[in-house]
Every structure is written in structure tokens, then in C-alpha cells.
């Protein structure tokens, strides 16, 4: 039952926040609806969920264009030629990982006359299967965005490796937070850390996540 799952996830977030001395209000639950249809999204809205995540432009399009009263987050790998389909419909893109995409987003944002809120995706674990900037490249990458006045860089995002014991993900989440702290500079606050999925969100919250992206724990 979605309601029971939601209650349980919310409680786990609250408890993890308390353990790390944080307010639960500083943590946004993004319900990842990539495996479910619009009727489940509506059920989630009735429970009070306000933010939803999708990782594929095409599959999400019916939900995202049909359900306008919530915030949609784009969390998957974004091909540059799809940027124009994503920007107008999503509140934030969590997966900026290369300069060419930044340039495309800047151009689209100019064209639509809007601001593109983005997170930098960082591959902290170094797994070959994962997208994201190398942690060492983040500082220069941020510098390279200076001329893109339509991009609002809000923070960092990562995906930890899938492991049986979520405790093993702690070092990766901590590294993202340290990287964020080091990347803050005058005029750039980077408040958001998008990290933690079903398997590891408790550890991510303990390590400072401000956004957790949860699918299976809610919808399975
Ligand atoms: C699918 C997905 C999630 C949610 O994964 P669950 O394990 O189902 O919670 C989070 N982030 C990204 C980028 C995803 O693609």
C-alpha cells in the first residue's frame, strides 16, 4: 500500500534527520514514478507528495504534461537533443554532467525565457557504468559555467553503488557533501545535495542529503 510505504519512508527520513541533528523539513522526498502510471502519481498527490522524479523523457511525457500541479525533477541521463522537451516541464534537472549539455540548456532557457535549475551529477564512486563528473573535475566545471546566465546551479547529485549493506555507501555520500562544501564560493551557495535511493536513503540523510529520490520503497 502506497500510504503505508509513504508513512514508513517519512518516518525513516525523520529518524535519520534526528540522528544527525537536522530538521526533517530540510529533506525533500522526490517520489520516483518511472515504473508507475499517472493513477499512482495522483494517489501519491492525495497523500501530500509534491515532488516527483522521472529519468526518461519519452516514458514520462504523458505524466509530466498531464499532471501540472506538482514539481517534476529530471533525474536521468539527459541527451542534448531532449533538453528542449525537458526544460519547460521540469522544476530541476539533477543530471548536468558535461559542458555541451550546459550550453544546450543555456540556449534552450534563453529561447523559452526561463531559468534552468540544475544540479551537477558527480560520479563519486568512479564506477564505469555511471554518468557524472569526476570529483576532481567539479571545480573547473563550475568555473566553466560562469557565462551561462540562465543556469542556476543549486547543488550536487550522486548515485552510490548498489550494495547489500547500505553502510558501505556512507563514504560516497560524505564525499559529495565535502565536495559541495569546497565548491561553495561567493555568489554560489549550492544548498542542495540530491543523494539517496530506496537502498541507501537513510545513510544519505545522515550524511546531509537535502533531496532523496525514492521509487521502489514507495511503489513496490
Ligand atoms: C530509479 C532511480 C531512483 C529511485 O530508485 P529506487 O531504488 O527505486 O528508489 C533514484 N535516482 C535515479 C537517478 C533513478 O534512476
Amino acid at each position: 500500500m502506497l500510504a503505508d510505504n509513504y508513512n514508513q519512508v517519512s518516518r525513516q527520513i525523520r529518524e535519520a534527520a534526528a540522528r544527525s541533528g537536522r530538521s526533517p523539513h530540510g529533506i525533500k522526498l522526490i517520489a520516483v514514478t518511472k515504473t508507475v502510471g499517472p493513477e499512482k502519481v495522483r494517489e501519491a498527490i492525495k497523500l501530500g507528495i509534491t515532488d516527483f522524479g522521472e529519468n526518461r523523457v519519452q516514458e514520462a511525457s504523458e505524466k509530466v504534461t498531464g499532471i501540472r500541479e506538482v514539481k517534476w525533477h529530471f533525474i536521468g541521463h539527459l541527451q542534448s537533443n531532449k533538453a528542449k522537451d525537458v526544460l519547460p516541464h521540469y522544476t530541476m534537472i539533477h543530471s548536468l554532467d558535461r559542458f555541451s549539455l550546459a550550453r544546450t540548456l543555456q540556449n534552450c532557457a534563453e529561447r523559452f525565457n526561463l531559468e534552468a535549475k540544475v544540479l551537477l551529477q558527480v560520479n563519486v564512486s568512479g564506477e564505469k557504468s555511471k554518468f557524472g563528473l569526476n570529483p576532481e573535475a567539479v571545480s573547473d566545471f563550475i568555473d566553466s559555467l560562469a557565462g551561462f546566465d540562465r543556469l542556476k546551479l543549486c547543488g550536487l547529485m550522486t548515485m552510490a553503488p548498489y550494495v547489500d549493506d547500505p553502510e558501505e555507501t556512507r563514504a560516497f555520500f560524505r564525499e559529495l557533501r565535502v565536495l559541495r562544501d569546497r565548491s561553495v564560493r561567493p555568489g554560489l551557495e549550492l544548498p542542495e545535495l540530491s543523494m539517496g535511493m530506496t537502498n541507501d536513503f537513510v545513510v544519505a540523510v545522515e550524511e546531509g542529503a537535502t533531496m532523496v529520490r525514492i521509487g521502489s520503497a514507495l511503489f513496490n
Side-chain angles (χ1 to χ4, degrees):
M1 269 290 292
L2 179 54
D4 296 331
N5 294 346
Y6 177 50
N7 286 336
Q8 185 172 347
V9 166
S10 302
R11 176 163 42 76
Q12 285 176 291
I13 291 174
R14 277 198 307 276
E15 289 170 358
R19 275 196 299 280
S20 54
R22 307 174 58 209
S23 161
H25 302 297
I27 299 140
K28 180 156 282 168
L29 169 65
I30 298 176
V32 178
T33 44
K34 63 191 180 199
T35 60
V36 302
E39 67 293 340
K40 276 284 172 198
V41 177
R42 299 209 180 277
E43 205 182 317
I45 294 171
K46 288 210 186 80
L47 294 173
I49 299 180
T50 56
D51 288 70
F52 293 84
E54 288 282 341
N55 70 336
R56 285 173 199 269
V57 182
Q58 219 61 49
E59 281 87 331
S61 122
E62 190 196 327
K63 281 174 268 183
V64 169
T65 56
I67 303 175
R68 312 293 291 265
E69 67 270 33
V70 299
K71 291 190 168 140
W72 291 99
H73 297 254
F74 193 81
I75 62 173
H77 182 64
L78 181 55
Q79 289 172 273
S80 292
N81 63 355
K82 299 275 173 62
K84 63 178 183 324
D85 305 319
V86 165
L87 251 195
H89 301 294
Y90 289 81
T91 186
M92 189 178 277
I93 294 166
H94 291 227
S95 49
L96 176 58
D97 61 354
R98 59 198 189 278
F99 185 76
S100 58
L101 179 60
R103 195 174 42 212
T104 305
L105 288 170
Q106 164 73 21
N107 291 341
C108 289
E110 278 175 17
R111 177 143 51 99
F112 295 120
N113 191 27
L114 43 77
E115 177 185 70
K117 282 192 263 174
V118 296
L119 304 178
L120 293 190
Q121 183 171 357
V122 185
N123 185 0
V124 280
S125 68
E127 286 174 289
K128 291 224 166 54
S129 59
K130 291 210 159 70
F131 291 103
L133 293 160
N134 187 309
E136 286 87 68
V138 166
S139 175
D140 285 352
F141 189 84
I142 291 175
D143 290 341
S144 78
L145 300 180
F148 294 154
D149 61 345
R150 294 285 176 150
L151 300 192
K152 179 154 178 59
L153 181 56
C154 302
L156 306 180
M157 176 273 212
T158 200
M159 289 173 82
Y162 186 86
V163 287
D164 288 334
D165 178 7
E167 197 53 42
E168 289 174 25
T169 63
R170 188 176 297 279
F172 300 114
F173 295 138
R174 190 169 293 173
E175 184 178 341
L176 195 75
R177 171 161 51 87
V178 169
L179 190 59
R180 186 277 307 275
D181 294 347
R182 281 206 209 107
S183 304
V184 167
R185 48 192 82 176
L188 186 66
E189 283 184 29
L190 304 176
E192 305 294 353
L193 287 175
S194 169
M195 55 188 199
M197 309 176 19
T198 291
N199 193 48
D200 52 24
F201 72 90
V202 167
V203 175
V205 168
E206 289 171 359
E207 291 301 326
T210 62
M211 296 174 153
V212 290
R213 311 176 308 266
I214 300 181
S216 341
L218 291 172
F219 298 108
N220 277 4

